[in-house]
Amino acid sequence: MLTRIRFRLREVGLIYTLYLVLQHFTSRHFFQFQRMFIIALPIDAAAPAAQPHPCIREATRDETSRIAAIGGPAADVEKHFDRGDRCWVFERDGKLLACDWIRQSAQDRIGWIILGKNPDEIWSAGILVDRTHRGQGIAPLLRSQVIRECAGGRISRMLGLIDTPNRNSVRALDGVGNRPLGILFYLRIFSLGIVHSGKRWRWGRWSERSPLRLSMRDIADPSCLRLWSAITDEHIAR
């Protein structure tokens, strides 16, 4: 646990780390809360290269410890593979410098909330670059090849989720062409769930067996761009 906290402090700063610690120590059976951007990366923004890059390949579960060395606990890597996620890595001189996870399912799930997608969309499960190699263009290069290999020309955009307090990641994702579609907020107290998305409030007694299902139409809210811009513009001002 201490190892994970130290990693988060180094990666995302004190405020977001405290947010994650509070979530961790709050029993999900009694109290849950989260606020996140739903984001999209248009395929043309990924600017796919003409030829596959020799440093990029798909990884296997046998490489769990090497993938974890990029950043993050091995347990998180195992969870990805357990869900059936696929992982592509950028390897140079025998060292893994970045990994990109893609969710295979037609939907993404956050506990008792299921987020659907359109047939021409694909879900991202996260991208991570080694701290010492950030800012070198590895992330967009890796993402563009992953999209090309997964999409086969049939995908218009890649979807993803990012906590609104995770300002470092918001800025990084903005830098490679991601844009927000909307904000999803949810709060659960015992069995009562309260959800806000697409300018609409919903409440009910949802569960993992009987989840709330939301489409991208339910999420869409152009006003979320104000918060997104405030985060990215704050970085520019510095």
Side-chain angles (χ1 to χ4, degrees):
M1 182 64 188
L2 289 177
T3 300
R4 180 173 295 191
I5 291 175
R6 284 196 296 268
F7 167 74
R8 292 300 182 189
L9 281 169
R10 187 175 66 247
E11 291 292 305
V12 299
L14 176 61
I15 294 176
Y16 186 50
T17 299
L18 292 174
Y19 171 82
L20 294 173
V21 169
L22 179 59
Q23 286 186 323
H24 179 81
F25 284 105
T26 303
S27 173
R28 67 185 184 90
H29 298 291
F30 303 108
F31 181 77
Q32 291 177 307
F33 72 98
Q34 199 154 10
R35 187 171 183 243
M36 62 185 68
F37 286 112
I38 285 73
I39 60 175
L41 174 68
I43 296 307
D44 56 359
Q51 298 294 329
H53 195 283
C55 292
I56 298 174
R57 61 176 176 80
E58 187 168 0
T60 67
R61 193 178 195 120
D62 294 339
E63 299 176 278
T64 292
S65 60
R66 297 186 67 204
I67 297 170
I70 299 172
D76 289 353
V77 178
E78 292 284 356
K79 287 179 182 178
H80 277 295
F81 281 120
D82 288 343
R83 283 194 297 254
D85 297 343
R86 298 172 68 185
C87 179
W88 275 262
V89 294
F90 186 98
E91 181 177 13
R92 188 164 60 202
D93 298 328
K95 181 180 180 181
L96 300 188
L97 303 182
C99 63
D100 194 358
W101 292 95
I102 301 299
R103 190 137 296 156
Q104 291 291 91
S105 62
Q107 58 197 22
D108 205 351
R109 184 167 192 145
I110 313 166
W112 43 274
I113 301 175
I114 291 180
L115 302 176
K117 69 176 184 64
N118 297 317
D120 63 338
E121 297 169 335
I122 191 171
W123 277 105
S124 165
I127 186 168
L128 187 63
V129 180
D130 181 81
R131 283 177 58 83
T132 61
H133 292 80
R134 294 175 186 171
Q136 299 179 16
I138 293 176
L141 184 63
L142 176 58
R143 174 59 49 97
S144 67
Q145 183 158 323
V146 168
I147 288 175
R148 187 169 60 251
E149 294 194 19
C150 289
R154 302 183 302 276
I155 303 299
S156 65
R157 64 183 182 179
M158 177 176 286
L159 305 174
L161 305 169
I162 181 69
D163 289 336
T164 56
N166 191 353
R167 293 171 176 257
N168 289 349
S169 291
V170 168
R171 293 165 189 146
L173 290 165
D174 180 79
V176 295
N178 288 273
R179 293 297 179 266
L181 300 177
I183 294 176
L184 172 65
F185 166 82
Y186 69 85
L187 170 68
R188 184 175 181 177
I189 303 173
F190 292 96
S191 61
L192 177 63
I194 301 172
V195 176
H196 184 265
S197 66
K199 298 182 179 181
R200 178 183 171 186
W201 289 94
R202 298 171 175 85
W203 55 88
R205 297 188 182 279
W206 301 289
S207 66
E208 293 190 6
R209 291 186 176 181
S210 181
L212 170 65
R213 297 179 181 272
L214 299 175
S215 67
M216 288 301 104
R217 183 177 297 180
D218 297 322
I219 296 292
D221 180 5
S223 66
C224 71
L225 187 59
R226 290 198 298 268
L227 176 58
W228 182 274
S229 297
I231 295 172
T232 55
D233 291 347
E234 178 187 62
H235 177 63
I236 294 172
R238 290 179 180 179

